[in-house]
Amino acid sequence: MDSFSAVIRTASHEQHVEAETSSFMSDLLGGRLGVEAYARYTEQLWFVYEALEAHADRLASDPVTGPFIRPELYRLGALERDLEHLRGPGWRTALSALPATRAYADRVRECAERWPAGYVAHHYTRYLGDLSGGQIIRDKAERTWGFARKGDGVRFYVFDGIANPAAFKRGYRELLDAVRADDLEKQRVVAECKRAFTLNTAVFRALGEEFPLSA
């Protein structure tokens, strides 16, 4: 019988691939978009992580979410430092969420407030993705736009508090396998993981419309 973490990974594979291969992300990683597109994407991430981390302190004492709340994962401070570098000290005044981003952040916030296991689904899809594929984005951004290695502009992707990402991800998956939920609730969590990837893909689609490649 597959572990719960393996079930999640297998069940959400199609949605995961769709997110990773969106035209916007392909163009961004291919160096075909300018730094403005990267900055706009970073802005959208701020709204999602603000929703994820606004309730983290409270959720740390929840029996379901508590084991997953790890300060070394927090990204909001790093995002704000990146945005100051990308947009200047007044970055907050011009910050705006795309409708797709607003829908994504609202769903994260709803789970954080009402459904702890659903929050875990969003926590998993975001943070483990940052530790994995996010490193590809960091490397491309450094090469394409000349950011200092692991410096301002790409700090979002730098986890200084995690010395061994592979070991951390193994430990995280063990937490998923031990999550306090019955089979029905686990099915709901799997569905929410799929929804998280779909919401993320919608953000990429909206960004692709904002930054279309000229023919």
Side-chain angles (χ1 to χ4, degrees), residues 132-146:
S132 302
Q135 302 315 303
I136 298 170
I137 299 174
R138 177 184 62 78
D139 180 67
K140 289 287 187 179
E142 290 168 357
R143 293 168 183 265
T144 304
W145 299 297

Side-chain angles (χ1 to χ4, degrees), residues 184-204:
L184 181 59
E185 183 74 339
K186 286 180 177 179
Q187 289 175 25
R188 292 181 67 212
V189 171
V190 169
E192 192 65 25
C193 285
K194 292 182 178 182
R195 183 173 183 173
F197 282 120
T198 299
L199 288 164
N200 190 45
T201 300
V203 174
F204 288 153

Side-chain angles (χ1 to χ4, degrees), residues 108-170:
V108 171
R109 194 171 290 107
E110 181 181 7
C111 288
E113 293 171 354
R114 302 180 185 178
W115 182 28
Y119 175 86
V120 169
H122 289 278
H123 194 279
Y124 160 75
T125 56
R126 288 289 358 159
Y127 291 112
L128 253 63
D130 301 333
L131 276 168
S132 302
Q135 302 315 303
I136 298 170
I137 299 174
R138 177 184 62 78
D139 180 67
K140 289 287 187 179
E142 290 168 357
R143 293 168 183 265
T144 304
W145 299 297
F147 299 122
R149 187 173 184 274
K150 296 187 176 182
D152 290 345
V154 294
R155 291 191 182 276
F156 169 73
Y157 303 101
V158 181
F159 291 80
D160 289 327
I162 299 176
N164 187 333
F168 186 93
K169 287 185 282 188
R170 281 196 302 273

Side-chain angles (χ1 to χ4, degrees), residues 19-107:
E20 285 185 334
T21 58
S22 69
S23 60
F24 173 79
M25 189 51 65
S26 297
D27 291 338
L28 193 71
L29 295 180
R32 294 183 292 276
L33 295 174
V35 70
E36 172 62 24
Y38 175 78
R40 188 75 170 118
Y41 171 53
T42 306
E43 287 181 347
Q44 304 315 299
L45 289 172
W46 184 90
F47 288 97
V48 177
Y49 283 86
E50 193 280 329
L52 267 171
E53 295 176 11
H55 296 273
D57 288 348
R58 177 179 60 79
L59 290 169
S61 60
D62 183 272
V64 174
T65 55
F68 297 91
I69 305 300
R70 304 282 290 274
E72 62 266 39
L73 286 172
Y74 291 176
R75 297 290 86 200
L76 201 58
L79 275 168
E80 292 177 354
R81 190 163 172 178
D82 285 342
L83 285 168
E84 184 168 354
H85 181 75
L86 291 163
R87 297 296 200 198
W91 63 269
R92 286 182 188 273
T93 59
L95 195 66
S96 64
L98 292 161
T101 304
R102 186 72 65 190
Y104 189 179
D106 285 349
R107 180 57 183 171

